[in-house]
Amino acid sequence: MRTYLIPLVPGPTTVPAEIRAAYQEDYGSADLEPEYYELYAETQEMLRTILGTRNSVVMMTGEAMVALWGALKSTLRPGDRVVAVATGVFGYGIADMARSLGAAVEVVGFDYDEAADPQRVEEAIRRVRPKLVTMVHCETPSGTLNPVAEVGGLVAHYEVPLFYVDAVSSAAGVPLRVDEWHIDLCLVGTQKCLSALPDLGIVTVSERAWEIVREVGYVGYDALAPFRTALEDRWFPYTPSWHAMAALNVACRRVLQEGLENVFRRHAEVAAYCRERLKAMGIELFPRREEWCSPTVTAAKVPQSLSWPELDRRLRERGMVVGGSLGPLAGKVFRIGHMGAQADMALVRRGMDILEEALRG
Ligand code: PLP
């Protein structure tokens, strides 16, 4: 199916026409034109407001993974101690990434249907004294939201040098306060709550993180270092994508025009509605406690009467596409992505009506 009539995949999300239109223009060379630098600076400023930070905001061509890798490679050296808080596919994955760079990684692991317990994280921080704590705000494959604010408090209390948070599927959908929560490296994508294309990786970088980036001295295509002075120097490490930046600029403007509080309320209301409808159909939510459910994506157990391929087939037949899941949850869990433009009550209501019909066969 090329275009989904009822798009409810938890990313890439449907891209509104206004954002798509930003790709239509024939831009000049981003390396040469002052307008590109103005666009970058303006987009950076809007992202600062959305993410609650005064830190630098680096925007790299690629998608979220380029920022996830670039931030780790730019701040870790072999032997560095890392505490990786893991409650799902991405949390455990980030631990593996850090390990592949030679870091000594202590995983504070939880089941995939749980959110992290800050007490266990505190115990690990006290014992390991890490250079870096990693955490995922919304574990998209499990539909859970982790207590980043609480862990940020611990990071500050124990003076951990760096706090790395994957906010790919929470940023611009749920409250996220980078500075207040002591986040040094906040990783964001464009294709989830911002509803743009998957073409930029975003990372906020604190002053402390910049110092460590300088000490580590990592050089590579995904290195953060050149972005520190890219705007002042009018020099990017490679040709930036003007189209992608123009689209992200429109996406941020839409969020701010609606108002952050309104955006967060819209996500919370749609998610609550989605959970109620699923429960009314006798479908069990995947997170063990409802308070752990993310407002951006709802994960639920595939009903026993159906296989996931059959459920997927019945939904697709009716023009609706949802997400399956990944890793150990593949085939057992399906997900409704109500993030960004898809956090739309009419769309989710229609989706739930179709799901009800599909379950009846
Ligand atoms: N982190 C989380 C929590 C995600 O859900 C995803 C994508 O689904 C990523 C990172 C990677 O994002 P991308 O595939 O855009 O690089």
Side-chain angles (χ1 to χ4, degrees):
M1 200 184 291
R2 252 178 61 170
T3 303
Y4 306 152
L5 296 175
I6 311 291
L8 287 168
V9 175
T13 50
T14 187
V15 183
E18 196 189 348
I19 298 178
R20 268 184 279 138
Y23 289 93
Q24 301 302 318
E25 210 162 310
D26 187 22
Y27 300 100
S29 164
D31 288 324
L32 302 178
E33 304 308 322
E35 288 95 330
Y36 179 76
Y37 294 96
E38 285 157 23
L39 182 74
Y40 188 97
E42 189 186 59
T43 310
Q44 184 175 56
E45 211 43 52
M46 287 193 282
L47 282 168
R48 283 189 175 123
T49 306
I50 292 170
L51 303 173
T53 186
R54 294 309 307 154
N55 290 340
S56 314
V57 181
V58 168
M59 292 166 275
M60 315 161 95
T61 307
E63 28 66 85
M65 286 315 292
V66 75
L68 262 72
W69 272 112
L72 282 185
K73 290 190 199 169
S74 297
T75 54
L76 284 182
R77 280 201 179 116
D80 282 343
R81 290 191 300 275
V82 171
V83 164
V85 183
T87 64
V89 172
F90 286 94
Y92 285 99
I94 290 167
D96 288 342
M97 287 158 64
R99 211 176 281 119
S100 79
L101 300 175
V105 181
E106 168 92 10
V107 176
V108 186
F110 297 87
D111 289 340
Y112 282 53
D113 58 357
E114 288 181 305
D117 170 6
Q119 260 186 351
R120 282 191 44 213
V121 179
E122 179 169 17
E123 187 279 316
I125 291 177
R126 245 203 320 240
R127 185 166 37 80
V128 175
R129 292 285 166 183
K131 172 184 181 181
L132 175 78
V133 170
T134 69
M135 189 169 193
V136 178
H137 196 195
C138 170
E139 260 298 347
T140 331
S142 324
T144 49
L145 195 72
N146 275 309
V148 174
E150 286 84 338
V151 173
L154 297 171
V155 162
H157 179 76
Y158 290 99
E159 298 180 353
V160 176
L162 292 174
F163 189 27
Y164 170 109
V165 174
D166 172 343
V168 170
S169 61
S170 61
V174 304
L176 172 61
R177 292 190 267 278
V178 167
D179 290 353
E180 209 179 303
W181 298 354
H182 311 283
I183 302 172
D184 296 287
L185 296 157
C186 183
L187 297 312
V188 178
T190 44
Q191 49 122 333
K192 303 280 188 188
C193 302
L194 288 164
S195 287
L197 287 165
D199 50 15
L200 289 171
I202 301 167
V203 51
T204 69
V205 188
S206 69
E207 268 314 304
R208 194 167 38 183
W210 278 130
E211 277 165 34
I212 292 175
V213 167
R214 206 173 18 228
E215 274 165 37
V216 168
Y218 168 65
V219 176
Y221 181 59
D222 52 359
L224 297 186
F227 288 91
R228 180 174 191 156
T229 53
L231 261 188
E232 293 104 272
D233 298 348
R234 296 285 189 259
W235 185 85
F236 282 95
Y238 42 76
T239 304
S241 167
W242 196 327
H243 295 79
M245 192 59 62
L248 175 59
N249 186 280
V250 175
C252 291
R253 195 177 302 281
R254 282 167 60 92
V255 167
L256 294 176
Q257 271 167 0
E258 183 178 348
L260 276 177
E261 291 309 318
N262 296 331
V263 168
F264 299 151
R265 192 176 322 111
R266 173 164 58 82
H267 281 79
E269 284 173 1
V270 169
Y273 172 81
C274 180
R275 294 195 298 270
E276 286 315 309
R277 284 292 302 269
L278 290 175
K279 287 189 287 180
M281 288 176 223
I283 293 177
E284 204 182 325
L285 300 177
F286 176 67
R288 219 181 302 155
R289 290 196 205 154
E290 198 163 335
E291 74 213 52
W292 292 335
C293 289
S294 173
T296 54
V297 50
T298 296
K301 294 184 184 172
V302 174
Q304 287 198 327
S305 54
L306 280 180
S307 66
W308 157 244
E310 174 61 12
L311 176 61
D312 187 36
R313 190 191 64 73
R314 289 188 193 179
L315 294 175
R316 282 172 178 271
E317 219 172 55
R318 293 163 170 84
M320 169 165 157
V321 183
V322 300
S325 195
L326 308 171
L329 309 184
K332 298 179 191 147
V333 167
F334 72 105
R335 296 171 300 152
I336 317 287
H338 35 68
M339 52 179 77
Q342 292 170 196
D344 177 301
M345 193 60 95
L347 173 71
V348 173
R349 187 176 295 125
R350 175 103 185 89
M352 291 300 108
D353 291 347
I354 290 176
L355 177 62
E356 213 163 54
E357 193 185 296
L359 288 177
R360 281 197 301 265

